[in-house]
Amino acid sequence: MEEKKDSEIRLSYEGKEYNIPSDEVGYVIDFKKTIDEAYSIGRSRTFLSNKAYILKRKFSGQKMEVPLYYSIKEEALSKKLEEIAKQVDIDEKDAKLSVVDGHFNITDEKNGRKVNIAKTEELVKENLKAGKHAQTELVVEVSIPKITREKLEKIDTLLGEYSTTFNSGVWGRSYNIKLSTDSINDSL
């Protein structure tokens, strides 16, 4: 006897909600297996040892928790998390150095963020197994840029300078200059 439990898996990050319809990831609870597991508590040994086990747990205040047995299509869940990650992820931006009138100007770096899909998927599955269908917080990690203000502040000398004539009508040269500047962060 398998039945669906919830109509969606709810995720959130910084106050924004993301919902995954359970049928799109094949999330199904196996009620029969879960009920059989619960029923078997205190029935797997002799009568006296079963009663002793139940009483010991009851008087010690220990809860008897039964895991929720379910199935889910992990590939489909990963794909849905990747779609959500596209909305949440932000690329980090390196700090930039420019020279204006002989002075160095530094534009600050900006940290990025990236959803850790594997950790989020594990957290979702843990919550589902525990029967917790409340919102699961996305696991988001900060990505630090490679070039920071701190590194650029160490630069205090112009290493080289060159000038040449340029005719934008010469297509080959224009294309080569474009390729070169693209490879060095649009700086020339």
Side-chain angles (χ1 to χ4, degrees):
M1 171 168 106
E2 291 187 8
E3 295 180 28
K4 292 183 183 179
K5 170 66 176 171
D6 236 341
S7 60
E8 55 191 24
I9 296 169
R10 295 181 297 279
L11 303 160
S12 65
Y13 180 70
E14 291 187 344
K16 185 163 168 82
E17 294 182 19
Y18 305 90
N19 298 318
I20 301 173
S22 58
D23 59 339
E24 291 184 16
V25 292
Y27 172 57
V28 178
I29 293 177
D30 188 340
F31 284 104
K32 181 177 180 350
K33 190 172 183 180
T34 303
I35 291 168
D36 288 346
E37 176 78 17
Y39 184 77
S40 71
I41 293 174
R43 290 183 168 79
S44 58
R45 302 178 210 142
T46 66
F47 177 78
L48 288 176
S49 63
N50 285 337
K51 292 301 176 195
Y53 174 76
I54 291 170
L55 289 172
K56 179 181 175 186
R57 304 223 14 149
K58 182 177 180 179
F59 290 117
S60 68
Q62 294 177 336
K63 290 183 179 179
M64 289 190 249
E65 293 186 17
V66 177
L68 185 63
Y69 291 96
Y70 70 94
S71 62
I72 195 164
K73 294 177 183 170
E74 292 186 19
E75 282 185 37
L77 178 59
S78 291
K79 285 182 181 178
K80 288 293 183 183
L81 291 174
E82 287 170 8
E83 289 174 17
I84 291 170
K86 289 178 184 174
Q87 299 173 47
V88 174
D89 291 355
I90 297 175
D91 291 334
E92 68 273 3
K93 296 197 188 293
D94 288 333
K96 295 198 180 238
L97 176 69
S98 59
V99 180
V100 178
D101 296 328
H103 298 321
F104 294 105
N105 291 330
I106 299 174
T107 305
D108 288 333
E109 74 275 5
K110 291 187 179 176
N111 291 340
R113 65 182 183 211
K114 185 164 179 58
V115 175
N116 185 321
I117 292 173
K119 287 184 180 178
T120 300
E121 188 174 340
E122 285 305 310
L123 189 59
V124 166
K125 291 191 288 187
E126 285 173 20
N127 286 343
L128 293 176
K129 187 172 187 173
K132 297 176 184 172
H133 292 87
Q135 284 186 346
T136 301
E137 188 74 16
L138 292 170
V139 179
V140 179
E141 298 170 347
V142 174
S143 55
I144 308 294
K146 293 177 185 170
I147 301 171
T148 63
R149 172 179 276 280
E150 182 181 350
K151 290 178 182 177
L152 293 179
E153 284 176 339
K154 296 176 183 175
I155 299 172
D156 62 359
T157 306
L158 181 63
L159 297 177
E161 196 169 21
Y162 181 78
S163 65
T164 184
T165 57
F166 172 68
N167 179 353
S168 60
V170 180
W171 182 86
R173 183 148 190 230
S174 298
Y175 179 75
N176 286 340
I177 290 173
K178 168 90 172 95
L179 280 177
S180 299
T181 57
D182 285 349
S183 71
I184 55 172
N185 296 329
D186 296 326
S187 300
L188 188 59

